[in-house]
Structures are given as structure tokens and as C-alpha cells.
């Protein structure tokens, strides 16, 4: 049974009496569907952990694109979502501190003259990224000379890169590494071009108490080792538990 404090928090975080959770399947490192069609991965596990603490059941809102998930929470059609922290997305949302850091990388063909990340931003280069993804938002701010070609979603990036003979594909490092193993003649450029700080998010209209509880929930999940254990459980490689607090802006 919830205590009065828990009942108050439950109403503040999920005023409809059920936790409506937006899950984006665009980043398979964090979320996917299991064999039964149920959301799986660290994002789904965090949702279940918070719902259990508040004594709530979950209604899933599943999307293939990050910006669809953002709009769902921003419009208060969901109570919780999972997003890369980005200033463009900040309007209408409250981000928790990040729970995981993921690297963004570039991929090219083996015969590409490009050898380093700082060679990408040149006139005539066409870089593909998933429309509305964290990579798209970041590259839109930072690329001054190259042209961004937006794929319909993050999972469609490599297919568009191949089909349209583009110069560079941008995305989650782990996913690009898997694609490079699956498809011949591809390689990743060394290092990373950005770090994605993945956080939980709630509508900005939620109260200060709700925001504080969400922040504390995420920090406890990191501090207790729960996030690190989730990495092992879901065989997540190439990502890191985020440090305490909020990241600096890019």
C-alpha cells in the first residue's frame, strides 16, 4: 500500500492513475521489442522499476522515431519518456540527469578518402542521419559545410547511405559497428563525433516535486549499481554509466 507521500507523488508523476510510457525503438542499444512484442531493454526496465516503486501499472506508447516519442511526452499523451538531452528538445520537457552515455560515430566505405572525424565537414560531403534524432540535432548545429541528408528514422540510415551512395553515415556507434560487420566494404572513422547523454523526461508542466523525485530516482539507479547491472543483463557494450548530475552543453 502506498504511503500518503507515495500517493501524492504517484498523482504528480502519473495523474491518470497509470504510468503512460513512451518508448523509442530507434536506438536498439536502449530499447527493443522482445519475442512477445513487449518493450525490453534498459529504458523499459527503468520504467518498470519506477512504476513498481509508485505502485502503478504501465501503458506503453511505442514509437520508431525519437521525435515522435518527444512529441508524445511534450503533449502530455505520455507521462515518461527516454531522450537524448538536447537544447532543441528541452522546450516543453524536463530532463532528468542522464543515466547512460552513448557515442555517436561516422561510417564510410572502405575506399572513402576520409580518415578522421574532422575531415567530414567539407563542402560536397553528404552526411545521413535519422530525422529528428540526437545526431541530426547535433549535426544541424555543428556542420557548417557538409550537407545533411535525413533518413526517415535512425534504423533506416545505413540503408539510405548505401542506396543513395552518400559519403558518411552518422549514428549510434554500436549499431554502425554491427552494420559494418553485416555489410561488406564499410568502416567506422576512429573515435566519436559526439557523446549522447540519455535521460528520462517528463512534461514540463509536472510539478517541481515530481521533477525532483524523477531526478533522485535516476541518480539512485546509477549510484546503487542498478544501471551497471542492466548493462550486463542486456549485454550492452560500448556505453557508460553517466556520472552524477547534468552534463555540460555541447
Amino acid at each position: 500500500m502506498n504511503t500518503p507521500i507515495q500517493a501524492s507523488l504517484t498523482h504528480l508523476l502519473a495523474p491518470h492513475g497509470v504510468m503512460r510510457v513512451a518508448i523509442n525503438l530507434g536506438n536498439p542499444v536502449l530499447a527493443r521489442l522482445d519475442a512477445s512484442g513487449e518493450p525490453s531493454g534498459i529504458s523499459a526496465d527503468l520504467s518498470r522499476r519506477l512504476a513498481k516503486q509508485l505502485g502503478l501499472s504501465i501503458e506503453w506508447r511505442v514509437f520508431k522515431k525519437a521525435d515522435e516519442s518527444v512529441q508524445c511526452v511534450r503533449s502530455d499523451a505520455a507521462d515518461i519518456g527516454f531522450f537524448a538531452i538536447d537544447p532543441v528538445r528541452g522546450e516543453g520537457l524536463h530532463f532528468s540527469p542522464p543515466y547512460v552515455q552513448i557515442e555517436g560515430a561516422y561510417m564510410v566505405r572502405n575506399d572513402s578518402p576520409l580518415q578522421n572525424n574532422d575531415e567530414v565537414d567539407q563542402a560536397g560531403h553528404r552526411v545521413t542521419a535519422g530525422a529528428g534524432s540526437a545526431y541530426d540535432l547535433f549535426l544541424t548545429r555543428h556542420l557548417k559545410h557538409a550537407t545533411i541528408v535525413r533518413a526517415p528514422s535512425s534504423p533506416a540510415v545505413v540503408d539510405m547511405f548505401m542506396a543513395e551512395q552518400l559519403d558518411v553515415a552518422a549514428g549510434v556507434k554500436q549499431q554502425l559497428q554491427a552494420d559494418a560487420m553485416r555489410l561488406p566494404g564499410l568502416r567506422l572513422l576512429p573515435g566519436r563525433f559526439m557523446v549522447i547523454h540519455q535521460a528520462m523526461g517528463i512534461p514540463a508542466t509536472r510539478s517541481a516535486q515530481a521533477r525532483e523525485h524523477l531526478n533522485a530516482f535516476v541518480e539512485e539507479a546509477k549510484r546503487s549499481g542498478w544501471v551497471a547491472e542492466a548493462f550486463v543483463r542486456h549485454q550492452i557494450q560500448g556505453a557508460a554509466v553517466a556520472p552524477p548530475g547534468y552534463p555540460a552543453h555541447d
Side-chain angles (χ1 to χ4, degrees), residues 29 139 249:
V29 175
L139 294 174
H249 291 300

Side-chain angles (χ1 to χ4, degrees), residues 197-212:
H197 304 279
Q198 196 76 18
M200 298 181 74
I202 59 176
T205 52
R206 294 292 191 268
S207 69
Q209 188 179 1
R211 299 178 190 189
E212 290 168 3

Side-chain angles (χ1 to χ4, degrees), residues 46-90:
L46 274 168
S47 304
R48 294 184 176 101
R49 180 178 172 89
L50 179 59
K52 182 178 180 180
Q53 289 183 6
L54 297 173
L56 292 169
S57 60
I58 292 177
E59 286 183 1
W60 301 106
R61 312 280 196 266
V62 179
F63 300 96
K64 294 182 179 180
K65 297 173 60 177
D67 56 350
E68 294 174 343
S69 182
V70 169
Q71 289 300 329
C72 182
V73 177
R74 184 180 285 156
S75 66
D76 204 8
D79 303 300
I80 297 285
F82 297 84
F83 314 114
I85 295 176
D86 186 277
V88 173
R89 289 179 177 166

